[in-house]
Amino acid sequence: MVRSVERRDGSSNEATASAAWLPPVTVLLGASLAAMGVLWCSAASPGGTARPPGVSDGEPFGALFDRDDPNRLVRSALASGAAWLSSVQEDDGGWSYRDGSADDSFGIGVAALCGLAQLHAGVPRDDEHVLRTRNFVVDEIRARWSASMDMPSIDVYSAGLAVTFLLESGSWADDRTVLGTVRMLEDAYGTDGYWDYRPAWAAAARRKGGDVRKACAAPRRGGGNVSATLYAIAGLSAASERGIAIDGRGLDLCLAALRDRQAADGGFFYFADEPARHVRPRQPYWGGTCGSVAAYLMAGEIRGLWSSPGEALLDPLVRSGLAWIEAHPEADTRSADRSETLLGEPVYGLFVGSRVTALLGLDRVLGEAWHAAGAKRLLGLQRADGSWDPGEYRSGVYSPEVETALALLVLAPSGRRLGEPLRGARAASGPQVSRRVLDGRDR
């Protein structure tokens, strides 16, 4: 049936979905995701006050929701968070991070993530911190460029985030750095339909003694995971939104793989070959399920399977995946002997869930009370200096810089629904304040 859904601005849109399905979707966000969609506030002005008037530095934001305006609190949180990121940016334009790996290209992804967070929090493109980030990302990519393949040899996380950030910060859609990184993402998938931390050809190059040409002739291998797949397809989606043609071979393989690997209960595992790779039984978990559904939605849009949330909601994988999320509102169980909850890893849990809600436009169906509930949870974790520090509420895996960027992307208006055209500054192409093209040339 065709159902008219009222938006917050009073207008309506026609969403094609079954009458039996849309009501549980509403319950899904209300009970399970809280405020994982785009909050109803407007973007913050980075030049605003760090905290609302009358609020002491030691008082957490979440404690104020019962007596203050949530819109004002969120705007203030965005402003103070963006200001904190600017204050800790390094001289070369990057940000500190820690992940325990030896891959030196992860700094590119961290910088792109922080840059995206600043843009979505309201920092303009011509801000000195955004410009420094752009130059850092481009310089680091070009320093790792493969002349024989005309593309960079960097990790998949960084490539996906870099493409998204460079395009949103003003890169031309035909810029060589952007196009080469998009081509890297296109060609980085494995035989199992998933992307891994490193491109398939880069892994082969290591086995071939660093010879990229021999690596390209080697058989493609599998062994990917949901997280790398999500970031790769997000980068390809950002490119597709701006008219860059995308080779669909990897996406088609991914769509088929996700349909094949969805668990009977609708959830998803992390690795492509789970649960067979583990002796101990493992279960689908929150991040794996939200990430898989979001990747599936973006890949399907690129390949023309749907052009609206209503069409996507008719897909069996999407419906069963959302049903799993609805049935596991705080579950993040990764193995039989290790259980983590959404409340134990709140910022990343909210971030990965927000990718699903933004794509499906479900935040526009729900009332504001659900957004306030999620914002109260998230802002209650913000420190007085504007940052989020995972070491204060869970065993820290990310640096405060990464955690703060993720939190800002949840709070800021950052989502585009399936089939929705880009608007405003995000739709613009090319440097807005400088003639410097991002590969270092002048156009």
Side-chain angles (χ1 to χ4, degrees):
M1 66 174 286
V2 177
R3 179 187 179 105
S4 179
V5 179
E6 185 176 353
R7 300 177 180 174
R8 292 191 208 97
D9 59 7
S11 61
S12 64
N13 68 319
E14 299 295 316
T16 304
S18 67
W21 177 244
L22 275 180
V25 169
T26 302
V27 175
L28 159 69
L29 286 189
S32 305
L33 302 186
M36 289 187 177
V38 179
L39 289 173
W40 72 99
C41 62
S42 62
S45 169
T49 57
R51 299 179 71 83
V55 178
S56 66
D57 287 342
E59 185 174 12
F61 277 110
L64 306 175
F65 263 72
D66 294 335
R67 66 175 180 82
D68 210 325
D69 176 16
N71 290 303
R72 186 164 66 101
L73 296 176
V74 170
R75 288 194 296 268
S76 182
L78 288 169
S80 61
W84 182 85
L85 280 178
S86 295
S87 72
V88 297
Q89 186 176 24
E90 297 179 344
D91 292 341
D92 61 1
W95 272 272
S96 174
Y97 74 99
R98 61 174 182 268
D99 65 1
S101 77
D103 195 324
D104 66 350
S105 69
F106 279 143
I108 299 171
V110 171
L113 179 69
C114 291
L116 278 171
Q118 290 196 307
L119 289 172
H120 286 282
V123 179
R125 285 178 173 180
D126 59 352
D127 180 87
E128 64 171 312
H129 298 283
V130 175
L131 295 176
R132 285 165 55 196
T133 305
R134 285 170 53 174
N135 292 337
F136 173 85
V137 169
V138 171
D139 290 345
E140 292 297 308
I141 289 176
R142 300 298 297 181
R144 296 164 176 80
W145 202 263
S146 168
S148 61
M149 297 189 68
D150 198 24
M151 63 178 67
S153 177
I154 60 177
D155 66 278
V156 168
Y157 284 106
S158 293
L161 286 165
V163 167
T164 306
F165 168 69
L166 292 177
L167 289 170
E168 290 204 19
S169 64
S171 172
W172 297 85
D174 63 350
D175 179 77
R176 182 182 177 189
T177 300
V178 171
L179 289 178
T181 309
V182 170
R183 301 307 167 219
M184 191 215 90
L185 288 171
E186 287 178 329
D187 194 46
Y189 66 92
T191 54
D192 50 22
Y194 283 62
W195 278 254
D196 204 351
Y197 303 112
R198 297 287 296 180
W201 61 265
R206 290 198 298 271
R207 297 192 301 272
K208 298 292 183 179
D211 190 321
V212 174
R213 281 170 291 189
K214 287 183 179 179
C216 292
R220 191 180 296 271
R221 298 179 67 178
N225 61 81
V226 167
S227 184
T229 299
L230 172 63
Y231 282 85
I233 297 180
L236 295 176
S237 176
S240 178
E241 290 170 5
R242 290 160 178 82
I244 299 175
I246 303 300
D247 187 325
R249 288 175 291 181
L251 294 174
D252 290 341
L253 194 61
C254 178
L255 288 165
L258 289 171
R259 295 187 191 105
D260 181 62
R261 288 176 172 82
Q262 188 173 32
D265 63 359
F268 284 89
F269 303 97
Y270 182 78
F271 291 104
D273 55 356
E274 285 194 77
R277 67 182 288 161
H278 298 284
V279 176
R280 291 178 177 272
R282 292 169 69 95
Q283 304 172 32
Y285 79 108
W286 180 273
T289 302
C290 290
S292 295
V293 172
Y296 186 78
L297 289 170
M298 290 186 288
E301 181 186 31
I302 297 171
R303 300 301 290 154
L305 300 184
W306 38 73
S307 58
S308 70
E311 293 176 2
L313 284 167
L314 295 175
D315 185 270
L317 181 148
V318 176
R319 293 174 60 161
S320 56
L322 290 175
W324 186 94
I325 298 171
E326 182 181 3
H328 301 79
E330 295 181 3
D332 196 2
T333 304
R334 304 189 183 192
S335 65
D337 60 349
R338 178 170 175 240
S339 178
E340 297 176 345
T341 66
L342 175 61
L343 297 180
E345 194 171 345
V347 175
Y348 189 78
L350 289 168
F351 171 76
V352 71
S354 72
R355 304 309 92 187
V356 177
T357 62
L359 289 165
L360 292 175
L362 296 179
D363 59 287
R364 305 183 187 192
V365 178
L366 297 178
E368 296 178 353
W370 301 123
H371 296 283
K376 182 176 181 178
R377 170 62 183 158
L378 188 57
L379 297 187
L381 299 173
Q382 189 179 29
R383 303 178 70 197
D385 63 4
S387 68
W388 279 261
D389 186 351
E392 294 187 354
Y393 45 84
R394 69 178 177 88
S395 57
V397 175
Y398 306 119
S399 66
E401 291 83 355
V402 171
E403 194 86 345
T404 299
L406 293 172
L408 293 179
L409 288 171
V410 174
L411 292 174
S414 58
R416 182 193 66 87
R417 293 192 314 161
L418 293 171
E420 186 176 61
L422 294 171
R423 295 187 177 91
R426 295 187 69 198
S429 178
Q432 303 301 299
V433 298
S434 171
R435 295 183 62 252
R436 181 177 187 265
V437 180
L438 296 187
D439 62 7
R441 296 176 293 108
D442 283 338
R443 181 181 290 265

